[in-house]
Amino acid sequence: MAVAAGVPLAATTYYFRSLDELLVTGVQRAADAELDAVAELVEALPRRARAAGWAAELVVDVVLGPRRRSDAAIQAHYERFLAGGRHPSLRPVLRAARRRVDGLLGDALGRCGHGSADVGLLVAVLDGTAMSALVEGDGSAHARAVDAVTSALES
C-alpha cells in the first residue's frame, strides 16, 4: 500500500498501528469524500415533481456516486462493500456510509416528488441489477440499473 500511495513504508507504520487501521481510515476518507459530493448534489436539487426516469437517474447517482458510469467504476464501488466480508473492521464504516446514503436518497426522492418510495427496495433493486449486469460484462450496469429503478418507481 505504501508503494501505491507513493510514500515510504516507514510512513505507514508511523501513522497507523496496523494494516486494518490503514484500510479503515482509507475507506472512511473515500466514503466521506464521495458522500459529501452526493450531499451537495442533493442539497442543490430544487423541489419539484420529476418523471420516474429522471428520479431513477438521481437514485443511481446517489447510491453509486454521480461519476460512476462504467462497469469498472461500478465494480470498484461494490468491491468496497464486499471487502467488509473479508475485513470485519470495515463493517462499522460501511454501515455508517449505507445509513448516510439512505438518508440522502430519502431526501433526494422527497425533493423530486417520489418521497413515498421505499428506499431499501430501490437500493436492493439497483444493487441486484447492477451486480447481475456486471456478471454479464457487457458494459450495461449503469443503464440497466437506471431502467430497473425506473420500473420500481413506476409500479
Side-chain angles (χ1 to χ4, degrees):
M1 284 194 179
V3 172
V7 299
L9 179 59
T12 59
T13 57
Y14 178 78
Y15 290 105
F16 302 98
R17 289 185 298 267
S18 68
L19 184 57
D20 263 1
E21 186 180 343
L22 173 63
L23 184 61
V24 167
T25 300
V27 169
Q28 179 70 60
R29 286 190 181 181
D32 287 346
E34 181 176 299
L35 293 176
D36 287 348
V38 170
E40 288 178 18
L41 172 86
V42 171
E43 289 167 9
L45 285 172
R47 290 190 180 275
R48 70 173 187 249
R50 307 282 184 145
W54 192 96
E57 287 277 359
L58 177 63
V59 167
V60 172
D61 282 351
V62 168
V63 174
L64 297 182
R67 290 178 283 283
R68 284 202 177 89
R69 296 288 187 265
S70 71
D71 277 14
I74 293 168
Q75 182 172 337
H77 169 79
Y78 287 112
E79 289 287 346
R80 182 185 332 158
F81 292 98
L82 295 172
R86 292 185 297 278
H87 303 282
S89 58
L90 288 176
R91 290 178 185 155
V93 172
L94 296 172
R95 277 193 300 267
R98 172 58 200 270
R99 283 191 303 271
R100 189 169 175 204
V101 165
D102 287 353
L104 289 166
L105 189 52
D107 186 15
L109 288 164
R111 288 172 182 261
C112 64
H114 295 273
S116 64
D118 182 334
V119 168
L121 175 66
L122 292 178
V123 172
V125 166
L126 189 163
D127 287 346
T129 302
M131 293 285 247
S132 234
L134 289 172
V135 169
E136 297 297 322
D138 62 3
S140 68
H142 186 271
R144 286 172 57 185
V146 169
D147 289 347
V149 173
T150 300
S151 292
L153 286 170
E154 290 174 338
S155 62

